[in-house]
Amino acid sequence: MQCETVKVVHQDEVQGGYRLLWLDAPGIAPHVRPGQFVHVLVPHMEEALLRRPFSVYKADGPVLQILYKGVGKGTRTMTYLRPGDQLSLIGPLGNGYPGLSTGRYPILVAGGYGMAALYLLARALPVQGVAFFGGQSASDILCVDEFEALGWEVRISTEDGTRGERGIITGVIDAWWTARDADAEPVEAYACGPNGMLHAVARRAMERDWRAWVSVDRNMGCGVGACLTCVLKVRSEEGGWAWKRSCKEGPVFECREICWEMEEAG
Amino acid sequence: MKTPVMVASGTFGYGPEYAELVDLNKLGAIVVKGIALHPTKGNETPRTVEVASGLINAIGLPNPGVDGFVEQYMPFLRQYDVPVIVNIWGKTVEEYVEVARRFDHVDGVHALEVNVSCPNIKEGSALFGTDLDMFRRVVDGVRGATQLTVIPKLAPNVSDIKVFARAAEDAGADGISLINSVPAMAVDVKTRKPRLANVTGGLTGPGIHSVAVRLVWEAAGVVNIPVVGIGGITKAEDALEFLMVGASAVAVGTASFTHPATALEVTDGIAEYLDRHGLSSVGELVGTVLL
Ligand SMILES: Cc1cc2nc3c(=O)[nH]c(=O)nc-3n(C[C@H](O)[C@H](O)[C@H](O)COP(=O)(O)OP(=O)(O)OC[C@H]3O[C@@H](n4cnc5c(N)ncnc54)[C@H](O)[C@@H]3O)c2cc1C
Ligand SMILES: Cc1cc2nc3c(=O)[nH]c(=O)nc-3n(C[C@H](O)[C@H](O)[C@H](O)COP(=O)(O)O)c2cc1C
Ligand code: FES
């Protein structure tokens, strides 16, 4: 982990409000593991003082890429960044995804920026399985060619039916599961997306004996484990629960660790 | 202390969280997150919300308890050459006293900052900071239970800070620190719900700095013990203001979240200022505001 002043190399709109930001971060980029994130101090964001967390989409040599969408003051301010601008980055942060256990078949489940957040993992896994991407509309489905180029089969659904099947992605996952040989290898799922999607994956994982790693999205303060903003309830060994920091012990948790019933209530 | 610039309780964890980013040996002191007698879970989420010029938090003082803290964090902290100040709190006067007593013989602990002013504890702790009689009893009790340096941390939301500052000195405190966060609330107008699970919280960050400067000025004017200025420091000038109105040390809080090395930059900035003005020590600046 380090705090580095990095330079914007390039910024592009990809589609549907999603943008790709390239940063020259020689101190951080080479150390990023799949599922980790960086904490960005957005320059010129006068009304807010905290950093904003972003998953690392790609890291090649000294350059890392962030795929993001303008949803609020920080991300909208980021759209004005130009090549040569400097910003402060803390990273790499968080635990990241574990590797595939032997004998398991990997599937990826993603929504929104989750598609980008899973790319480094897709590239690192020794086996290429199926990637399930869900979104509102065709413009929310990202990076498909990239995953296919790595050898993943990508299955898509959109709620308005503009790309892939119409409906939510769990329908596509269930159809795939039903059609699958009963004696095929057990599944190891990796998911990043909205909380509802993660919970849906978790329910299936528990019913179907999958192992499932989900990356949660919590509001963050410090990003390094000091402020206790980003906590979520995780089952403890004694049978109760304990707060875990999603910036430190997470953002990736095995789905059985999370107290989903309490999450929903909260 | 190598520098009068410390890091404030609750904004720097227990040390390890920032050790990779900041040279802990260069800090004036580390004031760790508030410790109680027993482990405490803290509030529901959301626990913080960003507002104009600041942050409102209602973390609720989660902590591993005295024993958990000593076991989990003191071995780490002892490796460093930096004073450790433990921020303590309790739900009753007896709890404060017991926590103080237990820290008395812990190797590596230099001082106790007595948090009587956290606005996020429901079972009465806030009262310790705003009810003069309760405040006296806590400071008196803690004083009697420890040989360590005792620094009560004052709440900003009292009608006359001077009364509390004097009460602390009278009860035998070695210093006072101020301010803790300012009671605050934010509402999401779309849902009409409070933006914190705890409904209310405490405002910190740049927005409270000038409020803190005025309170430090008033408090420092009526006591002879050292005063630690806290509130909204983001740069050396903010710390210099505290020194000029009478603080002899300062602590950086929320700013560490944004720039982890703020405390070190403030230290450098103060040194430059002294240099530029031909002063040889921070002491020569304390209380020098020209009225
Ligand atoms: C580990 C992690 C990885 C992430 N990776 C990416 C990524 O790769 N690409 C990407 O586009 N986004 C990512 N995000 C989400 C991103 O951090 C938020 O979109 C961003 O912080 C919003 O900042 P803002 O200033 O634009 O919005 P704000 O103006 O702060 O907020 C806009 C709205 O979103 C809510 N909000 C703000 N931050 C969050 C949050 N973290 N979770 C839930 N609600 C929030 C606010 O309460 C508000 O209602 C990630 C988040 C986490 C925790
Ligand atoms: C997230 C957070 C947690 C805090 N926890 C504590 C605490 O445990 N004990 C305490 O006395 N003060 C606590 N404080 C208050 C700070 O120590 C400090 O008094 C306050 O933040 C004002 O300084 P600042 O404006 O520089 O942040 C906390 C503040 C924040 C933002
Ligand atoms: S964001 Fe501060 S503890 Fe996780």
Side-chain angles (χ1 to χ4, degrees), chain A residues 124-184:
Chain A
L125 287 178
V127 180
Q128 291 74 46
V130 186
F132 298 92
F133 289 177
Q136 187 69 46
S137 191
S139 63
D140 300 314
I141 305 298
L142 306 156
C143 323
V144 174
D145 298 348
E146 311 277 324
F147 281 74
E148 286 178 345
L150 293 173
W152 288 80
E153 178 193 342
V154 182
R155 299 203 184 181
I156 297 166
S157 77
T158 51
E159 280 167 51
D160 64 2
T162 45
R163 186 160 180 192
E165 286 194 27
R166 180 189 294 269
I168 59 171
I169 196 62
T170 41
V172 182
I173 298 174
D174 291 345
W176 168 81
W177 175 253
T178 315
R180 197 166 180 258
D181 277 352
D183 57 355

Side-chain angles (χ1 to χ4, degrees), chain B residues 36-55:
Chain B
L37 194 51
H38 303 297
T40 313
K41 281 186 164 155
N43 290 332
E44 292 295 317
T45 56
R47 288 174 162 189
T48 62
V49 51
E50 235 178 341
V51 293
S53 295
L55 180 70

Side-chain angles (χ1 to χ4, degrees), chain B residues 164-215:
Chain B
F164 285 81
R166 262 193 239 108
E169 185 171 37
D170 291 345
D174 302 291
I176 51 173
S177 63
L178 66 162
I179 58 176
N180 208 318
S181 55
V182 179
M185 178 171 176
V187 177
D188 182 336
V189 297
K190 277 189 234 114
T191 60
R192 296 196 190 188
K193 288 192 169 162
R195 294 178 68 189
L196 292 169
N198 190 54
V199 182
T200 61
L203 179 64
T204 66
I208 68 167
H209 177 63
S210 314
V211 173
V213 171
R214 180 262 191 172
L215 289 167

Side-chain angles (χ1 to χ4, degrees), chain A residues 32-210:
Chain A
V32 177
R33 285 182 282 110
Q36 287 190 301
F37 67 95
V38 289
H39 217 20
V40 175
L41 182 55
V42 182
H44 312 297
M45 177 173 61
E46 259 100 45
E47 329 118 76
L49 47 117
L50 296 175
R51 288 170 182 259
R52 299 293 191 261
F54 296 94
S55 306
V56 175
Y57 168 35
K58 288 184 182 170
D60 291 300
V63 176
L64 63 78
Q65 294 177 43
I66 291 170
L67 188 76
Y68 74 96
K69 189 172 182 169
V71 297
K73 41 193 176 292
T75 44
R76 281 196 207 108
T77 308
M78 280 164 70
T79 63
Y80 294 102
L81 288 169
R82 322 200 68 198
D85 285 352
Q86 294 198 329
L87 53 89
S88 167
L89 209 63
I90 299 178
L93 298 172
N95 59 351
Y97 291 104
L100 188 67
S101 335
T102 4
R104 290 207 173 240
Y105 181 82
I107 68 169
L108 311 177
V109 184
Y113 72 80
M115 296 162 207
L118 287 168
Y119 178 80
L120 283 180
L121 175 78
R123 198 165 76 177
L125 287 178
V127 180
Q128 291 74 46
V130 186
F132 298 92
F133 289 177
Q136 187 69 46
S137 191
S139 63
D140 300 314
I141 305 298
L142 306 156
C143 323
V144 174
D145 298 348
E146 311 277 324
F147 281 74
E148 286 178 345
L150 293 173
W152 288 80
E153 178 193 342
V154 182
R155 299 203 184 181
I156 297 166
S157 77
T158 51
E159 280 167 51
D160 64 2
T162 45
R163 186 160 180 192
E165 286 194 27
R166 180 189 294 269
I168 59 171
I169 196 62
T170 41
V172 182
I173 298 174
D174 291 345
W176 168 81
W177 175 253
T178 315
R180 197 166 180 258
D181 277 352
D183 57 355
E185 307 109 305
V187 165
E188 185 146 9
Y190 299 89
C192 185
N195 207 44
M197 178 185 273
L198 301 183
H199 194 185
V201 170
R203 272 197 300 265
R204 284 161 180 76
M206 289 184 249
E207 274 164 26
R208 299 166 185 173
D209 210 19
W210 304 350

Side-chain angles (χ1 to χ4, degrees), chain A residues 1-3 39 41 45-52 73 88 90 218-222 224-233 240-243 245 248 262-263 266, chain B residues 10-14 16-18 20-21 33 41-55 59 62 73 195 204-206 254-260:
Chain A
M1 185 212 305
Q2 61 171 281
C3 184
H39 217 20
L41 182 55
M45 177 173 61
E46 259 100 45
E47 329 118 76
L49 47 117
L50 296 175
R51 288 170 182 259
R52 299 293 191 261
K73 41 193 176 292
S88 167
I90 299 178
R218 287 289 176 285
N219 280 331
M220 286 191 182
C222 65
V224 300
C227 74
L228 310 178
T229 289
C230 65
V231 295
L232 81 168
K233 287 175 180 161
W241 61 271
W243 291 113
R245 300 164 297 183
K248 200 77 192 175
M262 295 175 140
E263 284 290 300
Chain B
T11 60
F12 214 76
Y14 300 105
E17 295 83 357
Y18 278 107
E20 278 181 62
L21 299 174
K33 171 95 189 138
K41 281 186 164 155
N43 290 332
E44 292 295 317
T45 56
R47 288 174 162 189
T48 62
V49 51
E50 235 178 341
V51 293
S53 295
L55 180 70
I59 307 289
Y73 296 103
R195 294 178 68 189
T204 66
T254 307
S256 296
F257 297 155
T258 311
H259 286 290

